[in-house]
Amino acid sequence: MSPRASVRPGGRSARVQQSVHQAVRDLEAERGRDALTVPLIATRAGVTPSTIYRRWGDLRELLSDVAVERLRPDAAPADQGSLRADLEAWAEQFAEEMSSPVGRTYIRDALLGDPEQGNAARCSDYAAEQLTAIAVRAAGRGEAVPGVEALLDAIVAPLMYRILFRPSDTSAAYTHGLVATALDRR
């Protein structure tokens, strides 16, 4: 069982997570990433370092957990009126947010976490949930919709590769091309 599985909404564990995450964000903004240490974060969060070590194991895993929470979308994708328009708007926004320096840092932090804790999978789930919402809405309008896995493969996978390894063009033209390819495969 992962440490994340024991979090109860509104419980002490959730309050500790919230205060530790906030301490990480505040200290990173104030002092920079290189200054972050577990004791410094614990002091700011009002917990003991052993609380952090017990829950997250180490600083890398804590940063990964914070990153995953920061990568979680705030809202459902906007309804643009058609599957193509919805996917284009979503892909543009995704590319813009993830290709920013902060977005790339969060992606890298999320990937640094222990694969057994599932942080990378949680990030993937966020994208899948957003694409599922778009697909359900489009199907409700009577549009033919590719499967979510096909959309992940055709849109998200190449975007993530481009963002992480070839951070050049993630423009609207590029993202619209990915959407066109995904929809042409139907």
Side-chain angles (χ1 to χ4, degrees):
M1 176 192 277
S2 77
R4 304 269 310 132
S6 64
V7 176
R8 291 185 324 262
R12 181 183 184 282
S13 186
R15 287 190 303 274
V16 167
Q17 179 182 336
Q18 182 180 6
S19 66
V20 169
H21 279 211
Q22 188 64 50
V24 168
R25 290 190 298 272
D26 292 347
L27 287 166
E28 189 172 17
E30 292 168 16
R31 299 184 182 196
R33 182 180 186 78
D34 292 339
L36 295 178
T37 65
V38 169
L40 182 64
I41 294 166
T43 299
R44 175 64 67 95
V47 300
T48 64
S50 64
T51 298
I52 292 175
Y53 289 121
R54 222 178 10 260
R55 170 118 186 213
W56 286 279
D58 60 22
L59 181 60
R60 184 186 74 193
E61 196 62 40
L62 172 57
L63 292 176
S64 178
D65 194 47
V66 170
V68 170
E69 288 301 312
R70 299 297 294 190
L71 291 170
R72 183 176 48 195
D74 294 335
D79 186 348
Q80 304 294 325
S82 71
L83 175 61
R84 180 176 300 272
D86 286 356
L87 288 173
E88 287 174 347
W90 182 84
E92 276 184 61
Q93 180 180 2
F94 182 85
E96 182 180 314
E97 290 174 1
M98 297 299 124
S99 66
S100 72
V102 170
R104 284 195 312 272
T105 297
Y106 285 142
I107 292 168
R108 288 186 180 108
D109 281 350
L111 295 174
L112 282 175
D114 181 352
E116 297 298 317
Q117 301 300 328
N119 284 338
R122 286 175 46 217
C123 289
S124 177
D125 290 345
Y126 295 155
E129 289 165 7
Q130 294 275 292
L131 292 172
T132 298
I134 290 170
V136 166
R137 190 168 50 224
R141 291 189 293 252
E143 296 179 77
V145 181
V148 170
E149 290 298 319
L151 293 173
L152 287 167
D153 290 345
I155 300 170
V156 178
L159 266 174
M160 291 303 289
Y161 183 87
R162 178 74 57 110
I163 289 165
L164 290 172
F165 301 112
R166 299 191 56 84
S168 54
D169 181 21
T170 56
S171 67
Y174 177 74
T175 58
H176 290 198
L178 294 174
V179 169
T181 299
L183 296 179
D184 290 345
R185 290 181 184 172
R186 286 184 283 178

